[in-house]
Amino acid sequence: FSSRTLWRFGCSARLLKANHSRTAAPNTSLPAVWMLLAQHSGRIPGLPAAAQTANFCTMRETMEENGSPELYLPNPEVRGMTLLNREAFKRTVVVPVLKVKKEIVHALVKALKHTVLQRPGLKRVIEDPEDEGSKLVILDPHQVPEFSLGQAEQEVLKHLNIPPEVSRYNLELTYENFKSEEILRAVLPEGQDVTSGFSRVGHIAHFNLRDHQLPYKHLIGQVIIDKNPGITCVVNKTSIIDSTYRNFEMEVLAGESNLVTKVKENNISYELDFAKVYWNPRLSTEHSRIVELLKPGDVLFDVFAGIGPFAIPAAKKKCVVFANDLNPESYKWLLHNCKLNKVDNKIKAFNLDGRDFLLGPVREELSKALALEKEAQKPAVHIVMNLPASALEFLDVFRHLLVGEPCGAAVLPTVHCYGFSKHENPAKEIQERAEASLGASLDGRCATYLVRNVAPNKEMLCISFQVPADVLYKRPCPAEEKPASKRLCTGKDFTEENVVS
């Protein structure tokens, strides 16, 4: 295995362990009729409840895996369609049915709930055109191969006094009965990847379509709107993320052109213009992880704050928050969301370049916080730098950011810096880049966390560390005139020529 594979394997070990616990072999010693009837009652004589749950979960997974998806494909004539024609998806398939007296239909459907048909928009029970006193229960062709019931199903029918005769029924499937992935797989050229996953931002579905999918982009957009209640706009990214303002160009594929939306993350509401600011719903867990590290009274500096997914929940946790973003639109929506969540009096917001924010407000507030004499008064300080395309390059700002000596047992600021890596060993590479910017080793003094897989062989990581005192502080030379007490050094004191690396 490559080092990248081993590294990602370690991050996934707990997930693999959890999945393995769900694959226990079913108990085959019980009569088949008990297994099926118990799905209605939820109990099997003589079998512990925990074992019952595992058995039925496993049985269901096995049935789904052995299914024959060709039976539910739309009309093959839709292949290559670029303008959606819903009528063209109609298709008639032959399915197995059981003729059942009306008064026992309910009991049968519950007893054979994994054998009856389960398709979106399709009724499992229909009228019998030849007998008013009976109904037709449609069975899933996947579970009844060659229109022949298995022994377990026959035992159930015998128990309910139902004739075990399986009939054939012509069932018409329409566009409404197919899932979005089935529709797209039927339309796109055979063998091509089908994109059915997307990011949802309020009423907006956001795609990153590949080149071979672009001829079908408007059809894809309309299918997603049809199949996902609440989505009224589908967009596709047409450019890479701008490294300055973190937004990207996009085109509307289907639906309305309104890109101002409202989202909810970790029980906090945000409003934004998706065309002008950065928002990624896949970072919800990471936002929560960092905020959980904070305690009331801690100080948070959010260098690339966006619309506030770190800053606002931190302020709600009664932290002292300084939030900054260079993008004027992000700054505008940051202020708006602070008011929306009633924390506008708890967050000091800035519209500065990240480097200027660190050299200005951050340095000034750090000097105040770290100069407190009593250890009990010193809050923990966290600095979040979530600009993975270039945040590691900003770490050189911490070189001799402050002048003097640490006051007593100063609590050094903890930095959470994000970066992308395509390296075989992403954690090692991120640490080396951070060390190069800081001019100091972080061995044994940092932790690296995998945030998410961005693309094949591209990871997003967070490296967290306390800024070493010998990096953060510049000790005055004896010959230098001693600055006035607690005077802050300005940016003029730290030109590239006189910063010691």
Side-chain angles (χ1 to χ4, degrees):
F1 295 102
S2 67
S3 56
R4 168 181 287 275
T5 303
L6 292 171
W7 181 79
R8 295 197 65 196
F9 176 80
C11 293
S12 305
R14 282 179 295 179
L15 179 60
L16 291 173
K17 182 178 179 180
N19 288 341
H20 177 72
S21 67
R22 298 168 52 193
T23 59
N27 188 322
T28 57
S29 63
L30 297 167
V33 65
W34 284 5
M35 296 295 290
L36 287 167
L37 288 175
Q39 296 171 31
H40 167 55
S41 65
R43 299 184 63 184
I44 299 176
L47 187 63
Q52 295 174 33
T53 303
N55 286 340
F56 288 121
C57 180
T58 305
M59 183 191 302
R60 187 169 187 177
E61 289 172 355
T62 303
M63 289 179 176
E64 291 174 352
E65 289 170 2
N66 293 335
S68 177
E70 302 85 38
L71 289 172
Y72 289 138
L73 286 179
N75 190 325
E77 294 181 3
V78 302
R79 180 78 64 193
M81 177 187 294
T82 56
L83 183 63
L84 182 61
N85 176 7
R86 297 176 182 85
E87 289 296 314
F89 286 83
K90 286 185 178 179
R91 185 181 184 186
T92 300
V93 296
V94 180
V95 296
V97 296
L98 285 172
K99 184 173 181 175
V100 183
K101 293 296 183 181
K102 286 184 176 181
E103 57 268 20
I104 58 174
V105 165
H106 186 67
L108 176 68
V109 170
K110 285 197 171 183
L112 296 182
K113 66 180 180 179
H114 295 314
T115 307
V116 298
L117 183 70
Q118 299 186 49
R119 292 290 295 175
L122 284 179
K123 294 181 179 179
R124 296 178 292 181
V125 181
I126 58 177
E127 297 293 331
D128 184 349
E130 300 176 354
D131 184 355
E132 293 184 357
S134 298
K135 296 272 190 179
L136 296 180
V137 177
I138 304 177
L139 305 179
D140 188 340
H142 295 172
Q143 318 304 337
V144 188
E146 300 179 359
F147 295 82
S148 178
L149 291 171
Q151 181 182 353
E153 289 83 3
Q154 292 185 39
E155 291 282 354
V156 171
L157 296 185
K158 182 178 179 181
H159 178 82
L160 297 174
N161 198 26
I162 300 173
E165 298 176 3
V166 178
S167 303
R168 296 171 183 262
Y169 179 80
N170 292 330
L171 178 68
E172 184 180 70
L173 300 175
T174 67
Y175 172 83
E176 286 70 27
N177 304 133
F178 297 112
K179 301 174 184 178
S180 58
E181 185 174 353
E182 293 169 338
I183 292 171
L184 299 181
R185 193 173 299 282
V187 169
L188 270 63
E190 289 187 81
Q192 298 280 21
D193 291 337
V194 174
T195 297
S196 59
F198 54 86
S199 296
R200 182 164 184 168
V201 183
H203 68 275
I204 302 168
H206 167 223
F207 277 89
N208 295 326
L209 294 180
R210 299 181 181 180
D211 290 343
H212 72 271
Q213 297 159 344
L214 293 178
Y216 310 92
K217 60 186 180 182
H218 296 298
L219 180 145
I220 292 172
Q222 190 57 56
V223 170
I224 294 304
I225 289 178
D226 291 345
K227 298 297 180 178
N228 295 272
I231 288 182
T232 58
C233 175
V234 180
V235 300
N236 179 47
K237 185 173 75 171
T238 58
S239 67
I240 62 173
I241 294 178
D242 177 83
S243 60
T244 303
Y245 286 166
R246 288 199 295 178
N247 52 17
F248 50 83
E249 294 182 6
M250 63 183 75
E251 63 174 331
V252 176
L253 304 182
E256 62 185 9
S257 297
N258 176 24
L259 296 179
V260 175
T261 189
K262 188 171 185 175
V263 298
K264 195 166 187 178
E265 179 184 275
N266 300 323
N267 296 318
I268 296 178
S269 296
Y270 302 89
E271 293 179 355
L272 61 130
D273 186 338
F274 191 55
K276 297 179 180 178
V277 305
Y278 179 79
W279 180 264
N280 190 336
R282 293 185 174 93
L283 295 177
S284 171
T285 301
E286 181 62 12
H287 297 152
S288 177
R289 184 182 75 88
I290 294 297
V291 173
E292 287 177 0
L293 299 176
L294 308 176
K295 297 179 181 178
D298 286 355
V299 178
L300 173 68
F301 297 103
D302 195 349
V303 185
F304 311 105
I307 66 169
F310 287 113
I312 291 173
K316 281 186 166 290
K317 203 171 182 179
K318 298 183 179 180
C319 295
V320 179
V321 180
F322 299 82
N324 171 74
D325 203 280
L326 176 62
N327 183 353
E329 285 290 328
S330 295
Y331 175 71
K332 181 185 80 173
W333 287 102
L334 171 63
L335 296 177
H336 174 83
N337 287 310
C338 287
K339 291 182 180 179
L340 179 67
N341 289 282
K342 300 179 180 179
V343 292
D344 47 308
N345 61 340
K346 299 178 181 179
I347 295 178
K348 294 183 180 180
F350 301 84
N351 181 206
L352 301 171
D353 175 81
R355 190 172 291 272
D356 293 336
F357 177 63
L358 289 164
L359 288 170
V362 173
R363 178 162 57 184
E364 181 178 350
E365 295 299 326
L366 271 181
S367 298
K368 294 177 183 178
L370 300 183
L372 293 173
E373 294 182 0
K374 294 182 180 180
E375 188 172 350
Q377 295 178 335
K378 295 175 182 176
V381 178
H382 294 262
I383 303 174
V384 174
M385 303 176 68
N386 185 19
L387 185 65
S390 58
L392 291 164
E393 301 170 9
F394 284 75
L395 293 179
D396 66 316
V397 172
F398 292 105
R399 294 188 185 189
H400 302 160
L401 183 64
L402 305 180
V403 173
E405 298 280 352
C407 296
V411 179
L412 297 168
T414 298
V415 173
H416 309 280
C417 187
Y418 294 81
F420 294 131
S421 177
K422 295 182 179 180
H423 196 269
E424 280 290 309
N425 188 334
K428 180 181 178 182
E429 196 244 358
I430 289 290
Q431 179 178 334
E432 289 175 349
R433 287 165 58 191
E435 291 172 337
S437 291
L438 291 169
S441 172
L442 293 177
D443 280 345
R445 298 193 285 186
C446 69
T448 306
Y449 182 83
L450 173 64
V451 177
R452 69 187 186 98
N453 176 246
V454 178
N457 298 322
K458 183 178 181 180
E459 318 284 359
M460 177 179 174
L461 300 96
C462 174
I463 182 169
S464 298
F465 59 91
Q466 278 195 316
V467 183
D470 56 348
V471 172
L472 186 62
Y473 286 90
K474 177 187 178 183
R475 294 174 174 80
C477 297
E480 291 182 356
E481 181 181 351
K482 189 173 182 179
S485 177
K486 295 186 180 181
R487 184 182 72 84
L488 291 176
C489 293
T490 66
K492 296 179 180 179
D493 300 315
F494 295 96
T495 60
E496 293 185 1
E497 290 77 16
N498 62 25
V499 172
V500 179
S501 58

